[in-house]
């Protein structure tokens, strides 16, 4: 458990909903919320069928709602057909939304371009027609490795239009991570860019694709389509490579959306689990889009006049649900940002909110914590120096937000007039699960409050029995919901094992510890497995360990998390080298080498903050690494546990030195 937990549990501040937000909220008042919850509880099938009929356009209406016959491989609306892209774009065509701005794109260097819904529709259709002419079709898998751009949204929407299953890989991942994912999905298509731009620097992307393909095993890839972002140098492979603008050129501006079964996989997105290999979380067409749209409506209380800005990257689930799909299905104007919050200065977010008159702002606690620190030291870029009066809702996602960060966000960004929505969810859940609602929920700093209607969240013990208020336990979702993960791509056994352990009586195991307070509010206590959350990014300790032991110098490695004031958790690696214990300058040098190695193997986000060397790892006599002890050592705390079962207790002193 992290250090912040105690202060969370003694938190007593409550902020009632702002009266101006209640009357015309999508869910207006606690009574309306309860009515929906009760409707969902009384007859879940009728509730979800009503939602799916009212919110989605179907080419073949469904008759069946939930199919539990192969539980936990649940199927939703499985005899219906629809198309996600048609539900995001075509449905706006003959409405006033057609000429509304869909995306305001701001590049790293501050240039702004906009695209209307009609234009976006045409761009998506042209690209989809291009893909079709190259022979790509429903059921094929495409890797998308693109920077934040209108093109990334176009690529995802074009895939959805044709039924090509996309797997977006975050641009910060290494060629090796990219390779692993391309092989696992059996990609036949890669869509990338020459380079990406961050903080004024160009970083190559296409060359990482070249490297990944050269590693072998991706021979099924028939085309690499390249978005010309910077005009930077690329090596060109005549057999595979095509420019994105050439693929779209001269293609018709209409492309019939392919009617797809509701259960057709929309995308596969890799996330870390408790083994070394990332899991390909598979989401289905209709259920995912239904929840993306409903949660935009409910949680963000979307209005036609909103300017919505989710700062996530499309490489993460937040960028799927709350950039590429949800806001478009809701017909919102949204900001898409290429850069980073600290360039050209730490006021970038606030300046952009002011410039684009953002009304709904959604970001991560890490950004809030680091920007609050920065604002205190560079007062010129403090949020109070900007006009943020357009904001009406501010949200947080990805990791626990500690009460201090919550209060800073609430006071300095929301100016005490915007609710802070602490949204708890996961790659696997498809969209928000437990979150305050602007017109409903009294807020408590540090709590994600109450589940959305239809979501049966509970805290249970090891036997699957619900525990009482104030007692810690496992966070579970007791009944299936339409946007849930369908399976792990290519590994159904791991799906069942990871999420539906037999003792939990069929409930979905989220992998987080939680407790409820006397008001039924949920307080998330962090992961219960070997997964870390660094700056809101999920990282498996085993993934980092595998990367470390792949280095020629390393014999053994154990990775744990330690609380960090900015990044939430930081990676600490305990390493045994194949050679003698390094000291002084040499140790610092090897630690640097290993950090760079991990960045190259996985991506910079996985770089250990600290590396500690020892002649051995602390193990029990049966050879099990004592991670619990390593966590204590990583925090710099004194060991109070009994270490008599350790094979070599002296090792703990050695390991307490950081490099
Ligand atoms: O531990 C929880 C944490 O992030 C995990 C999910 O990570 P990922 O699949 O990458 O999705 C992140 C974006 C939805 C969860 O298991 N987490 C996410 N949101 C919160 C959170 N922890 C506490 N409070 C949150 N609001």
């Amino acid at each position: 458990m992290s250090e912040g937990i105690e202060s969370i549990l003694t938190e007593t501040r409550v902020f009632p909903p702002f009266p101006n937000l209640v009357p015309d909220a999508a869910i207006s008042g606690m009574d309306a919320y309860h009515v929906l919850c009760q409707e969902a509880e009384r007859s879940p099938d009728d509730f979800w069928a009503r939602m799916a009929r009212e919110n989605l356009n179907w080419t073949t209406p469904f008759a069946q709602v939930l199919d539990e016959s192969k539980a936990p491989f649940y199927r939703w609306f499985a005899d219906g057909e629809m198309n996600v892209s048609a539900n995001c774009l075509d449905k706006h065509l003959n409405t006033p939304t057609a000429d509304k701005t869909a995306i305001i794109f701001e590049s790293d260097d501050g240039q702004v371009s906009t695209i209307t819904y009609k234009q976006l529709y045409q761009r998506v259709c042209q690209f989809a027609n291009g893909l079709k002419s190259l022979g790509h079709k429903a059921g094929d898998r495409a890797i998308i490795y693109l920077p934040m751009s209108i093109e990334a949204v176009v690529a995802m929407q074009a895939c959805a239009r044709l039924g090509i299953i996309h797997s977006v890989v975050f641009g910060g991942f290494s060629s090796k991570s990219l390779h692993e994912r391309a092989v696992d999905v059996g990609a036949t298509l890669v869509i990338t860019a020459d380079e990406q731009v961050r903080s004024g620097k160009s970083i190559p992307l296409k060359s990482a694709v070249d490297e990944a393909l050269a590693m072998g095993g991706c021979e099924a890839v028939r085309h690499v389509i390249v978005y010309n972002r910077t005009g930077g140098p690329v090596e060109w492979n005549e057999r595979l490579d095509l420019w994105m603008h050439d693929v779209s050129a001269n293609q018709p501006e209409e492309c019939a959306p392919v009617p797809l079964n509701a259960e057709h996989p929309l995308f596969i997105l890799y996330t870390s689990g408790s083994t070394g290999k990332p899991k390909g979380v598979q989401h289905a067409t209709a259920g995912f889009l239904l929840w993306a749209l409903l949660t935009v409506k409910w949680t963000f209380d979307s209005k036609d006049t909103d300017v919505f800005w989710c700062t996530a990257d499309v490489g993460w689930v937040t960028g799927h649900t709350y950039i590429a799909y949800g806001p478009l299905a809701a017909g919102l104007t949204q900001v898409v940002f290429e850069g980073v919050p600290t360039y050209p200065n730490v006021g970038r977010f606030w300046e952009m909110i002011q410039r684009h008159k953002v009304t709904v702002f959604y970001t991560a606690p890490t950004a809030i914590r680091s920007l609050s620190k920065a604002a205190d030291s560079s007062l010129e870029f403090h949020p109070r120096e900007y006009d943020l009066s357009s904001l009406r809702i501010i949200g947080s996602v990805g990791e626990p937000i500690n009460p201090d960060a919550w209060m800073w966000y609430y006071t300095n960004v929301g100016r005490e007039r915007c609710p802070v929505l602490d949204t708890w969810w996961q790659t696997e859940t498809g969209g928000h699960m437990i979150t305050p609602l602007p017109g409903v929920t009294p807020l408590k700093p540090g709590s994600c409050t109450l589940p959305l209607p239809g979501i049966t969240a509970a805290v249970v013990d090891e036997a699957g029995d619900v525990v009482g208020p104030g007692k810690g336990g496992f966070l579970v979702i007791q009944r299936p919901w339409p946007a849930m993960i369908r399976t792990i791509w290519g590994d159904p056994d791991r799906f069942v094992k990871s999420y539906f352990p037999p003792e939990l009586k069929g409930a979905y195991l989220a992998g987080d510890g939680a407790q409820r307070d006397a008001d039924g509010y949920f307080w998330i206590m962090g992961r219960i497995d070997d997964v870390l959350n660094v700056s809101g990014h999920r990282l498996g300790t085993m993934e980092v360990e595998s990367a470390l032991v792949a280095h020629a110098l390393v014999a053994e490695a154990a990775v744990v998390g330690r609380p960090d004031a900015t990044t939430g958790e930081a990676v600490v690696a305990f390493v045994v080298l194949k050679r003698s214990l390094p000291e002084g300058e040499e140790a610092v040098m090897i630690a640097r080498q290993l950090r760079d190695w991990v960045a190259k193997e996985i991506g910079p986000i996985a770089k250990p903050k600290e590396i500690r060397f020892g002649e051995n790892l602390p193990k029990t006599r049966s050879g099990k690494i004592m991670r619990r002890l390593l966590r204590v050592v990583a925090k710099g705390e004194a060991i109070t546990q009994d270490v008599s079962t350790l094979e070599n207790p002296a090792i703990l002193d050695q390991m307490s030195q950081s490099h």
Side-chain angles (χ1 to χ4, degrees):
M1 272 201 222
S2 72
E3 273 161 354
I5 297 301
E6 260 169 55
S7 60
I8 285 173
L9 294 181
T10 53
E11 179 61 58
T12 52
R13 285 168 288 197
V14 180
F15 298 83
F18 294 99
N20 62 317
L21 291 181
V22 178
D24 63 347
I27 304 181
S28 173
M30 194 53 97
D31 289 348
Y33 164 77
H34 282 306
V35 166
L36 272 177
C37 292
Q38 282 153 12
E39 179 190 342
E41 226 165 273
R42 246 192 338 267
S43 172
D45 270 21
D46 291 341
F47 171 78
W48 289 118
R50 178 166 86 79
M51 292 301 149
R53 287 193 185 108
E54 287 176 2
N55 288 282
L56 299 178
N57 294 340
W58 296 85
T59 39
T60 307
F62 61 89
Q64 194 176 25
V65 186
L66 170 63
D67 172 5
E68 303 188 77
S69 60
K70 296 197 176 65
F73 299 92
Y74 297 103
R75 292 157 56 83
W76 286 90
F77 321 116
D79 55 352
E81 282 187 341
M82 49 103 52
N83 182 284
V84 162
S85 173
N87 271 274
C88 292
L89 300 172
D90 309 35
K91 85 168 185 200
H92 302 305
L93 283 183
N94 296 313
T95 76
T97 309
D99 294 321
K100 181 177 170 178
T101 300
I103 297 175
I104 303 169
F105 174 70
E106 182 162 323
S107 65
D108 185 71
D109 68 1
Q111 286 185 42
V112 175
S113 50
T114 61
I115 186 166
T116 65
Y117 270 90
K118 176 88 186 286
Q119 291 165 335
L120 184 62
Y121 162 83
Q122 290 166 341
R123 289 269 295 274
V124 168
C125 285
Q126 286 190 308
F127 188 54
N129 279 325
L131 293 178
K132 207 157 61 169
S133 71
L134 294 169
H136 298 288
K137 56 176 194 320
D140 292 351
R141 275 85 60 203
I143 290 280
I144 297 180
Y145 190 57
L146 281 170
M148 288 298 288
S149 51
I150 292 175
E151 283 67 18
V153 176
V154 168
M156 293 165 81
Q157 285 282 339
C159 285
R161 201 163 185 86
L162 299 179
I164 297 170
I165 306 164
H166 61 66
S167 186
V168 183
V169 178
F170 173 55
F173 275 125
S174 66
S175 53
K176 193 143 181 263
S177 300
L178 182 67
H179 173 257
E180 193 173 15
R181 288 156 174 76
V183 171
D184 199 64
V185 294
T188 51
L189 168 67
V190 179
I191 307 170
T192 188
D194 48 2
E195 297 181 315
Q196 59 181 328
V197 187
R198 286 168 89 80
S199 313
K201 288 193 275 297
S202 296
I203 309 159
L205 277 180
K206 163 75 163 63
S207 62
V209 174
D210 295 342
E211 275 171 39
L213 297 188
M215 289 174 197
C218 321
E219 288 70 25
V221 172
R222 290 192 291 113
H223 298 108
V224 175
I225 299 179
V226 187
Y227 159 47
N228 184 345
R229 166 63 187 90
T230 63
V234 284
E235 279 191 29
W236 206 250
N237 178 338
E238 293 296 339
R239 193 176 56 84
L240 292 177
D241 300 346
L242 295 163
W243 289 108
M244 191 169 181
H245 55 262
D246 287 338
V247 171
S248 295
N250 305 320
Q251 291 292 347
E253 289 174 347
E254 307 228 316
C255 168
V258 176
L260 297 162
N261 184 275
E263 280 295 307
H264 181 78
L266 175 63
F267 65 84
I268 301 160
L269 184 60
Y270 285 82
T271 188
S272 294
S274 39
T275 71
K277 194 170 175 284
K279 312 188 254 204
V281 172
Q282 181 181 318
H283 277 288
T285 293
F288 172 82
L289 192 70
L290 172 62
W291 203 225
L293 175 55
L294 264 183
T295 51
V296 166
K297 285 185 180 174
W298 285 350
T299 313
F300 296 123
D301 186 27
S302 62
K303 302 279 181 263
D304 193 39
T305 48
D306 271 329
V307 177
F308 179 82
W309 183 19
C310 164
T311 68
D313 191 284
V314 287
W316 310 107
V317 73
T318 310
H320 282 58
T321 314
Y322 299 110
I323 294 177
Y325 293 112
L328 296 181
L332 296 183
T333 296
Q334 69 172 320
V335 174
V336 170
F337 177 43
E338 178 180 45
V340 299
T342 48
Y343 179 83
N345 58 59
V346 294
R348 182 70 184 263
F349 274 3
W350 324 131
E351 193 195 322
M352 282 181 64
I353 292 172
Q354 174 180 283
R355 178 161 45 246
H356 302 300
K357 300 196 169 40
V358 171
T359 58
V360 179
F361 179 64
Y362 192 36
T363 195
T366 291
I368 298 165
R369 286 191 297 262
S370 65
L371 291 176
S372 79
K373 223 169 25 177
D376 289 343
S377 51
S378 31
L379 294 178
E380 179 190 357
F381 303 117
H382 194 284
R384 70 172 162 254
E385 299 303 317
Y386 300 82
D387 177 4
L388 305 183
S389 58
S390 55
L391 286 175
R392 57 183 200 94
I393 288 168
I394 55 179
S396 160
V397 58
E399 45 177 324
I401 175 163
N402 46 308
D404 281 355
W406 195 103
M407 284 306 301
W408 185 87
Y409 195 32
Y410 179 77
T411 311
N412 294 289
V413 181
R415 309 276 162 87
E416 299 182 21
R417 26 164 228 91
C418 304
V420 173
L421 308 181
D422 175 3
T423 60
W424 178 86
W425 60 294
Q426 310 176 292
T427 306
E428 293 87 340
T429 69
H432 303 153
M433 299 294 276
I434 310 179
T435 174
L437 298 171
V440 174
T441 327
L443 307 169
K444 300 185 189 182
S447 168
C448 54
T449 74
L450 300 169
L452 287 170
I455 301 303
T456 52
V459 180
V460 302
D461 61 19
E462 275 165 9
D465 295 320
V466 173
V467 301
K471 297 237 163 52
F474 304 126
L475 179 60
V476 298
I477 313 296
Q478 293 169 314
R479 282 191 54 80
W481 68 103
M484 70 192 297
I485 173 177
R486 292 303 190 268
T487 187
I488 293 174
W489 179 261
D491 201 346
D493 292 344
R494 189 173 176 199
F495 167 71
V496 179
K497 263 196 219 126
S498 308
Y499 304 110
F500 296 94
E503 57 281 10
L504 294 188
K505 307 177 172 134
Y508 164 86
L509 176 67
D512 280 334
Q515 56 177 273
R516 299 183 82 163
D517 65 17
D519 296 325
Y521 276 38
F522 284 79
W523 299 81
I524 306 295
M525 325 289 275
R527 299 288 306 187
I528 51 165
D529 49 12
D530 292 322
V531 172
L532 307 182
N533 193 325
V534 181
S535 302
H537 301 318
R538 238 162 103 170
L539 201 60
T541 52
M542 309 263 195
E543 264 172 86
V544 186
E545 287 168 10
S546 320
L548 283 167
V549 296
H551 190 280
L553 285 178
V554 177
E556 255 191 307
V559 166
V560 299
R562 105 167 136 55
D564 183 279
T566 306
T567 58
E569 272 186 298
V571 176
V572 180
F574 295 87
V575 172
V576 181
L577 296 178
K578 288 179 184 160
R579 40 150 290 171
S580 59
L581 198 64
E583 276 172 19
E585 263 308 297
E586 201 191 11
V588 173
M589 217 181 65
I590 298 179
R592 193 178 315 133
Q593 255 180 42
L594 293 183
R595 261 199 285 273
D596 291 346
W597 171 263
V598 173
K600 213 168 166 324
E601 287 283 292
I602 304 176
I605 52 169
K607 264 186 176 184
K609 182 144 186 186
E610 272 182 38
I611 294 196
R612 299 177 180 213
F613 296 107
E615 280 161 344
N616 243 310
L617 291 175
K619 289 186 188 155
T620 60
R621 285 176 214 281
S622 59
K624 225 173 134 240
I625 297 172
M626 302 275 285
R627 283 168 196 283
R628 211 164 27 87
L629 285 181
L630 288 177
R631 274 186 219 117
V632 178
V633 174
K635 274 201 255 180
E637 289 173 358
I639 293 175
T640 50
Q641 289 106 317
D642 176 16
V643 292
S644 58
T645 53
L646 270 189
E647 195 183 85
N648 179 6
I651 209 70
L652 293 172
D653 286 339
Q654 232 173 37
M655 291 271 179
S656 56
Q657 280 188 40
S658 153
H659 294 286

